[in-house]
Amino acid sequence: MKDIFLCTISNVSSGSCAEDCAYCTQSAKFNADIDRYKLKPLEQILHEAKVASENGALGFCLVTSGRNLDDKRVEYISKVARAILDSGLHLHLIGCNGIATKEALKELKDSGIASYNHNLEASKGFFPNICTTHSWEERYETCENALEVGLGLCSGGIFGMGETWQDRTDLLYALQTLNPHSSPVNFFMPNGALPLSKEILSRQEALECVRLAREYLPNARLMIAGGRELVFGDNQKELFECGINAVVLGDYLTTKGNTPKDEVERIKSYGYSIATSCE
Ligand code: SF4
């Protein structure tokens, strides 16, 4: 029986990002109706980590909005990571803090962060359509940096932003060259504040994207993430049949997810078990 890996996200700092990623409500340029705050208090993050663990999550991802992993973020994420591990929780900690140098990533690793999430988001050719303030190459290089310092790499993308099938295979090929141990699959979520306006992908097209991702990344933990509720509603069984073996549990960065209890029950009702180890 397939085990499904669960990962919970903590949005450590939200909104007010100076970048212009056209799919992201956290960009200050679009004035989307979201919560904005600088750094979530340590006690609150510790509580979220405890609840995530109780809900069955093995992964816990510490996300900060903004362009890059600067000194302030390195310091805070490292402090948070040490506090979570000192509390005795057995969580695989993931940093998700933007473009990063090897030096900054090494500091995260030394604090106990096990993996780094940095999505390529789109193919190299399509990326300038969705972002003008940083380059695809900077994203790719950050992924390489994470691997070079010995962090696990989690990298994926978003489908349904107006890209062609060629763009999708180009993205997946680029991901294949990085060989991430984990790869999030997101579907674009329309929001009236965003400059990007696209119809939600159909169920069949979204499933084709998942099948293709599994073909290109046969050994990755293929993690279904944002947008799945919009595309699939409560009927998500086919996602797992097409190759998904990991799930973001609970809320996303700025949107609500299913409740963890419902999610776990649903996965079990499809005949799968919840992973109890990171192996
Ligand atoms: S850099 Fe990150 S937080 Fe900022 S707009 Fe782009 S995706 Fe959003």
Side-chain angles (χ1 to χ4, degrees), residues 119 153-157 172 175 180-185 213 217 220-224 244:
N119 292 338
L153 177 64
C154 174
S155 184
L172 291 167
L175 288 170
H181 76 81
S182 176
S183 185
V185 173
L217 302 168
R221 195 179 279 150
L222 202 58
M223 184 176 299
I224 196 69
I244 291 296

Side-chain angles (χ1 to χ4, degrees), residues 70-108:
D70 58 16
D71 290 349
K72 192 174 158 198
R73 288 184 176 89
V74 169
E75 192 185 327
Y76 195 61
I77 296 297
S78 298
K79 180 176 160 184
V80 170
R82 287 195 176 96
I84 292 172
L85 295 173
D86 286 350
S87 75
L89 292 171
H90 296 290
L91 289 166
H92 179 97
L93 297 181
I94 304 133
C96 175
N97 316 106
I99 292 162
T101 62
K102 276 183 253 184
E103 293 69 32
L105 289 165
K106 174 84 173 44
E107 284 195 51
L108 288 195

Side-chain angles (χ1 to χ4, degrees), residues 17 19-21 23-24 26-27 65-67 134 139:
C17 177
E19 302 297 291
D20 72 351
C21 307
Y23 52 84
C24 180
Q26 299 203 73
S27 169
S65 62
R67 176 188 172 85
H134 60 267
R139 283 185 174 262

Side-chain angles (χ1 to χ4, degrees), residues 187-200:
F187 304 114
F188 175 64
M189 289 191 268
N191 180 304
L194 297 176
L196 189 63
S197 170
K198 298 288 168 201
E199 297 275 309
I200 299 166

Side-chain angles (χ1 to χ4, degrees), residues 90-148:
H90 296 290
L91 289 166
H92 179 97
L93 297 181
I94 304 133
C96 175
N97 316 106
I99 292 162
T101 62
K102 276 183 253 184
E103 293 69 32
L105 289 165
K106 174 84 173 44
E107 284 195 51
L108 288 195
K109 182 168 185 278
D110 290 347
S111 74
I113 293 285
S115 297
Y116 199 68
N117 167 245
H118 197 59
N119 292 338
L120 293 182
E121 306 295 20
S123 70
K124 184 176 173 179
F126 188 75
F127 192 77
N129 294 307
I130 51 161
C131 179
T132 66
T133 48
H134 60 267
S135 69
W136 185 90
E137 285 83 352
E138 286 172 282
R139 283 185 174 262
Y140 192 90
E141 193 182 332
T142 293
C143 293
E144 289 182 312
N145 289 344
L147 290 169
E148 275 185 47

Side-chain angles (χ1 to χ4, degrees), residues 10-49:
S10 176
N11 200 5
V12 173
S13 72
S14 177
S16 308
C17 177
E19 302 297 291
D20 72 351
C21 307
Y23 52 84
C24 180
T25 52
Q26 299 203 73
S27 169
K29 298 184 192 292
F30 311 143
N31 208 20
D33 182 17
I34 59 163
D35 285 345
R36 291 184 177 76
Y37 47 85
K38 290 227 163 87
L39 288 175
K40 193 183 271 178
L42 177 61
E43 284 309 314
Q44 193 178 339
I45 304 171
L46 277 172
H47 176 71
E48 289 176 16

Side-chain angles (χ1 to χ4, degrees), residues 187 189 200 224-236 239 247-252 255-259 263 266:
F187 304 114
M189 289 191 268
I200 299 166
I224 196 69
R228 80 189 139 117
E229 292 83 2
L230 280 181
V231 178
F232 293 91
D234 286 339
N235 183 1
Q236 300 181 13
L239 280 167
V247 165
V248 173
L249 186 71
D251 294 339
Y252 300 99
T255 56
K256 285 273 175 208
N258 295 315
T259 66
E263 192 78 78
R266 187 187 348 253

